Amino acid sequence: MSNSDHQTPSTLDGNTFVAMCLARADVDRMFGVVGIPVTSLANRAVGLGIRFIAFHNEQSAGYAASAYGYLTGRPGILLTVSGPGCVHGLAGLSNATVNTWPMVLISGSCDQKDSGRGDFQELDQIEAVKPFSKYSAKATDITKIPNCVFSVLDWAGSGRPGGCYLDLPTDVLHQTINDTEAQKLINDAENCRNKEIITKVKHSEIEKAAALLRKAERPLIVFGKGAAISRAENALKNLVESTGIPFLPTPMGKGLIPYVANLAATAARSLAIGKCDVALVVGARLNWLLHFGEPPKWSKDVKFILVDVDKEEIEIRKPCLGLVGDATKVVEMIHKEIKDDPFCLGKSHPWVEALTKKSKENVSKMEAQLAKDVVPFNFMTPMRIIRDAILQLGSPAPIVVSEGANTMDVGRSVLVQMEPRTRLDAGTWGTMGVGLGYCIAAAVASPERFVVAVEGDSGFGFSAMEVETLVRYQLPVVVIVFNNGGVYGGDRRNPEEITGPYKEDPAPTSFVPGASYHLLIEAFGGKGYLVGTPDELKSALAESFSARKPAVINVTVDPYAGAESGRMQHKN
């Protein structure tokens, strides 16, 4: 029997008090793995109307919490036990921070009086999370809980969003407090919450941005996850439609603007970034995903207008013009300024014509490749069939989760996003193993949408056990596994590389050939499909998409069809 079972009607313990604070802060979902000392906290949260999604592994739960923060714009919550639970949770916390998504990791910790004595699962967790968190708080007494809870939530979502950490010692969770005092502490803490001050961009800087775009011969608008989390889609669409400026989304920025009359430059990416003379970059960092904004991918003379919520990001990149502020508000201000003296490039503008021509050429080449039914499957044939099946679903479009090497690279080019925040992939950090966590977060965050994961067999393997979680909660998720027998494929070694005393071992890149991934979900009562031909795949997709119940489609792919992959490969 836990201490929490000894509560009287007029008193409550730390577990209940934390749950009350989370509920007051409008937290509606939590992800995690329970155990000593946080099981009661999870149960109390559920009792107060917070849905708790229990995982098998804290890493996957953490990836779910990070994606939930992105999809909703509110901090995703991960609950773990102390020590190793907290360490496993760092995967999700670091992923959130690097992707700039709001998330809070909440971990139990050892009894404070036993700190330093080798207590059960003891770890200095405040120190352990430092490299991965914006802000940490430790509730050293039950009376400190409200301020700690509200502060980590506020820090996670303010400015540039990111991961924060809350430490809850075992003794504090077992302390009790009078209900009247608890309510007063919550009210006082809520009244003291930091209200974020949004800096407003000077009008003179907006004028400069508008003038740069107006005078540009080859302007380009680039946008990414920051624009997506800001809900900047309407502002961007209005700006693109009124100015006729071509646009280029980063992979997870896709769908923010639906296809607008030949202005989408995705299929002519190399030409767009290589020749543009002014680039308005909204909520996207000039990091490896955008080749650091440097030659040879970009022109040495390109002028960047960088819109970012974080002043430090602008200081690091040193653009021609930096605008610090919320993506939606800044884009709206630029659009308003341009409307006073409007301009529009038009379809016959040389820059628009050049990009349109290149896009058509590249799309034609890719469609010619996609049109062939290659069996045994390469990556293109099943990806085309999946694309067509997804497009047939119409609106609301499903959320597509994509991870893997070749699977994600090919999917980035082939799969189509027509609605905002409907693509989740390995992201800024190139994190593998996010797939099932992202699927679960997407299904929980957007219950009106179906979820389709397109995964490599390696990426799937990181979190495959979470298919049981899909079945347990009956989430509308279909996981499609491209099974090519290993990382990048099967054994890729040259004969001269196969030497030494362990040469009979499988190659480091290879898995069991023909692995029956589809049977894994059947062990828990879900539906599995094994497919190797176009007709088999079409049938499995039609049936599983119609059922909208947990399923795994195991797609047999030629083990020699892929290539080693690590950075974004853009051949257009």
Side-chain angles (χ1 to χ4, degrees), residues 66 104 107 124 155 161 164 200 231 259 282 306 324 361 383 426 483 497 536 541 553:
S66 70
V104 173
S107 295
D124 184 346
W155 272 90
C164 290
K200 191 167 182 183
R231 286 3 190 211
Y259 189 79
V282 182
L306 196 55
V324 182
E361 285 173 12
M383 202 67 78
N483 182 358
E497 292 180 282
E536 288 171 349
L541 290 169
I553 302 175

Side-chain angles (χ1 to χ4, degrees), residues 461-544:
F462 278 79
S463 58
M465 191 64 182
E466 301 301 345
V467 297
E468 187 276 339
T469 309
L470 295 181
V471 176
R472 187 169 10 116
Y473 291 96
Q474 280 299 295
L475 300 174
V477 177
V478 172
V479 182
I480 304 165
V481 181
F482 277 52
N483 182 358
N484 65 347
V487 183
Y488 315 123
D491 192 341
R492 298 303 184 84
R493 296 172 297 179
N494 297 319
E496 60 269 20
E497 292 180 282
I498 306 173
T499 59
Y502 303 107
K503 64 183 180 184
E504 300 304 321
D505 275 359
T509 56
S510 62
F511 300 147
V512 170
S516 299
Y517 296 118
H518 57 294
L519 296 182
L520 190 61
I521 197 166
E522 292 191 350
F524 306 112
K527 180 72 175 172
Y529 302 85
L530 174 64
V531 304
T533 67
D535 286 345
E536 288 171 349
L537 179 55
K538 286 174 187 173
S539 172
L541 290 169
E543 187 178 305
S544 62

Side-chain angles (χ1 to χ4, degrees), residues 148-169:
C148 287
V149 170
F150 293 148
S151 65
V152 291
L153 290 168
D154 290 342
W155 272 90
S158 64
R160 162 159 284 177
C164 290
Y165 174 66
L166 174 60
D167 193 275
L168 299 173

Side-chain angles (χ1 to χ4, degrees), residues 359-398:
S359 290
K360 283 180 177 171
E361 285 173 12
N362 288 332
V363 167
S364 294
K365 283 179 198 168
M366 188 175 75
E367 289 301 326
Q369 279 185 283
L370 289 169
K372 302 168 192 165
D373 277 345
V374 179
V375 182
F377 277 149
N378 60 7
F379 284 86
M380 299 294 264
T381 298
M383 202 67 78
R384 180 204 79 223
I385 295 167
I386 293 163
R387 175 194 69 182
D388 293 348
I390 288 172
L391 287 172
Q392 282 174 9
L393 294 173
S395 187

Side-chain angles (χ1 to χ4, degrees), residues 112-129:
Q112 291 176 98
K113 74 177 187 307
D114 293 325
S115 180
R117 302 173 65 203
D119 194 22
F120 174 68
Q121 295 188 333
E122 183 183 337
L123 173 70
D124 184 346
Q125 289 160 202
I126 293 288
E127 198 61 34
V129 304

Side-chain angles (χ1 to χ4, degrees), residues 129 177 180 222 273 304 352 375 413 444 482 485 490 538 547:
V129 304
I177 191 171
T180 306
V222 181
I273 67 175
F304 285 109
V352 175
V375 182
S413 300
V444 170
F482 277 52
K538 286 174 187 173

